[in-house]
Amino acid sequence: MNDLVESLKALLGGGAVLEGAEIAPAAFGWGRLGTPLAVVRPGSTSEVSAVLRLCHEARQAVVPWGGRTGLVEGTFADGAIALSLERMNGIVEINPEDATMTVEAGCVLQHACETADNSELFFPLDLGARGSATIGGNIATNAGGNRVIRYGMMRELVLGLEAVLADGTVVSSLNRLIKNNAGYDLKQVFIGSEGTLGIVTQAVLRLRPKPASQNVALLAVDCFDRLPRILRNAEKGLSGTLSAFEVMWEDFYRLVTTPPAQGLPPLPHGHPYYVLVEALGGDQADDSARFERVLAAQLETGQVADAVIAKSKAECGRLWSLRDDVVQVVRNAPVFAFDVSLRIGEMEGFVGEVREALMRRSPVATLMVFGHLGDGNLHLIPGVGSGDGEARKAVENIIYGALKKRRGSISAEHGIGLEKREYLSNSRNPEEIALMRTLKQALDPRNILNPGKIFA
Ligand code: ZN
């Protein structure tokens, strides 16, 4: 019997601590989680603090768990105490006048969005894992997703937060002011830190007015050079209402519009690129007219080869569902998932080089590419017919090698976790990594918070 686990049970009550056979049913996720020593489910910030105090004393590793939908093994918790925020899932307050919402860390993203919507407000973070991912996890990973081009990543959507440090100290920094330059902006230390510097327990989110109009179109484009021009024209012509510019390479578009995928192709196959464009605004009639005008101009000049504009909410949803149907990539399994960032002008050469190198390695290689082109963020899903470690390493060398030359980032939005830590120095210089280590050492000298993630 583990003394620490017994102390945690005495502290929280037996039902809040899962051990042995109780763990498996509670421990599902999108990636490898390992076998935790126990899963601990505190119900309040003071309980999180008490848990960390005990673990700090015992020098016990603690891995925070949210929705466990991350893709870089950031929640791998073998032998650690997995601290699940699932019971701390409430909306603490919504303030329409300030356009803020205070939530607990375990609040599911979709629930936060729906709550804002019910108050005629809008929380703009949107990503595929919306039904499981939690606000705490979105903060820990500085989540991005589909509307970053307009509203920014999680970093821009959080006004304040409360975090518990490794030794149990509660830092309540629940700022709700948009402008606050009174010293360091401490929330930013925790946002994107992947649970290595503190455990976020609450946050004040910045809300926006609920959009009164949504316009969505799918465009077919015949050469890459035209994509940045279409993007800049859309930004300019749509007067700040452009909220998504998602590009699907042809292979991906074909995959999500052929059975067994449910989606039908709104535009014929055969174009190299398909772009989902969305604008959110304040007046449906005016905004639709402008949206159509801007797209018509691009069709006339030949920048866009073909286009379809959604005529109803349901049609908007159907176009989005194609881009969202990422799960179809398992048809090429085994596959690997990459999430990279690079300048838009480098993308075509990068994807071409990667594709060629993959084909050279394996005649059965596949490469699905899609992503948030407006943010310089591509998702690559390569398959080389094998899922083993050697294949993975070879594919990593191909992709990160092609990326390094172009000074891109190995992680646009998924983070580093365990999966990419070996490549951190591809995207960060020695001084940057040394400063990261200084921060880690200062905040977590016993290295108990999500140890081994980001760097060894
Ligand atoms: Zn993404």
Side-chain angles (χ1 to χ4, degrees), residues 6 11 23 44 81 115 117 125 140 142 160 218 240 245 257 276 297 312 322 331 341 376 411 414 423 427 435 447:
E6 290 311 304
L11 180 73
I23 293 179
S44 65
I81 293 289
T115 305
D117 189 79
L125 188 76
N142 185 30
L218 186 73
F245 193 88
T257 53
L276 186 147
S312 65
L322 300 177
R331 282 154 61 187
S341 216
S411 176
H414 294 170
Y423 299 96
S427 296
L435 183 53
N447 193 27

Side-chain angles (χ1 to χ4, degrees), residues 89-91 93-94 101-119 121-125 130 133-136 138 154 203 205 207:
N89 59 6
I91 306 279
E93 190 208 13
I94 181 158
M101 178 163 63
T102 306
V103 302
E104 291 186 301
C107 177
V108 170
L109 171 60
Q110 190 168 337
H111 179 51
C113 294
E114 286 168 359
T115 305
D117 189 79
N118 290 339
S119 295
L121 290 160
F122 182 55
F123 184 61
L125 188 76
R130 59 184 78 78
T134 62
I135 295 293
N138 296 150
M154 195 59 173
L205 307 176
L207 305 178

Side-chain angles (χ1 to χ4, degrees), residues 264-296:
L264 298 170
L267 293 172
H269 296 142
H271 297 278
Y273 307 99
Y274 295 83
V275 190
L276 186 147
V277 182
E278 181 195 68
L280 297 174
D283 183 286
Q284 190 69 59
D286 286 0
D287 294 337
S288 295
R290 180 174 51 195
F291 192 74
E292 281 169 35
R293 217 166 42 235
V294 168
L295 294 185

Side-chain angles (χ1 to χ4, degrees), residues 126-128 144-146 246 323 339 370-372 377-379 413-414:
D126 185 50
L127 35 88
N146 297 332
E246 299 283 311
R323 167 59 186 83
D339 153 50
F370 57 93
H372 322 288
N377 177 189
L378 294 183
H379 295 307
E413 56 182 8
H414 294 170

Side-chain angles (χ1 to χ4, degrees), residues 183-380:
Y184 299 154
D185 192 354
L186 294 173
K187 67 177 180 282
Q188 299 298 357
V189 170
F190 300 100
I191 301 174
S193 71
E194 303 186 36
T196 62
L197 299 178
I199 296 183
V200 174
T201 44
Q202 273 192 51
V204 182
L205 307 176
R206 182 179 185 183
L207 305 178
R208 306 291 173 147
K210 179 172 166 174
S213 78
Q214 182 189 29
N215 285 288
V216 179
L218 186 73
L219 320 178
V221 179
D222 284 339
C223 88
F224 190 91
D225 289 355
R226 292 179 186 159
L227 291 170
R229 265 177 272 157
I230 297 166
L231 167 63
R232 299 308 164 207
N233 283 336
E235 279 180 319
K236 195 171 147 197
L238 295 171
S239 310
T241 62
L242 180 70
S243 52
F245 193 88
E246 299 283 311
V247 175
M248 297 172 268
W249 265 243
E250 189 193 3
D251 292 5
F252 180 80
Y253 178 72
R254 197 179 283 274
L255 192 75
V256 297
T257 53
T258 46
Q262 300 283 306
L264 298 170
L267 293 172
H269 296 142
H271 297 278
Y273 307 99
Y274 295 83
V275 190
L276 186 147
V277 182
E278 181 195 68
L280 297 174
D283 183 286
Q284 190 69 59
D286 286 0
D287 294 337
S288 295
R290 180 174 51 195
F291 192 74
E292 281 169 35
R293 217 166 42 235
V294 168
L295 294 185
Q298 310 247 43
L299 272 162
E300 267 163 41
T301 58
Q303 299 287 321
V304 172
D306 202 354
V308 57
I309 297 183
K311 290 292 176 209
S312 65
K313 196 108 192 131
E315 283 184 29
C316 289
R318 273 200 290 281
L319 292 182
W320 264 116
S321 68
L322 300 177
R323 167 59 186 83
D324 259 355
D325 199 9
V326 176
V327 69
Q328 296 301 327
V329 298
V330 303
R331 282 154 61 187
N332 295 329
V335 289
F336 307 112
F338 289 84
D339 153 50
V340 304
S341 216
L342 72 169
R343 287 180 43 240
I344 201 164
E346 303 272 19
M347 284 181 182
E348 190 185 16
F350 168 74
V351 173
E353 182 181 331
V354 168
R355 195 183 297 278
E356 206 174 291
L358 290 172
M359 298 301 166
R360 259 202 315 272
R361 180 178 161 86
S362 162
V364 296
T366 54
L367 178 64
M368 298 293 137
V369 186
F370 57 93
H372 322 288
L373 196 96
D375 316 322
N377 177 189
L378 294 183
H379 295 307
L380 283 79

Side-chain angles (χ1 to χ4, degrees), residues 10-27:
L11 180 73
L12 302 178
V17 179
L18 308 178
E19 275 188 285
E22 299 165 328
I23 293 179

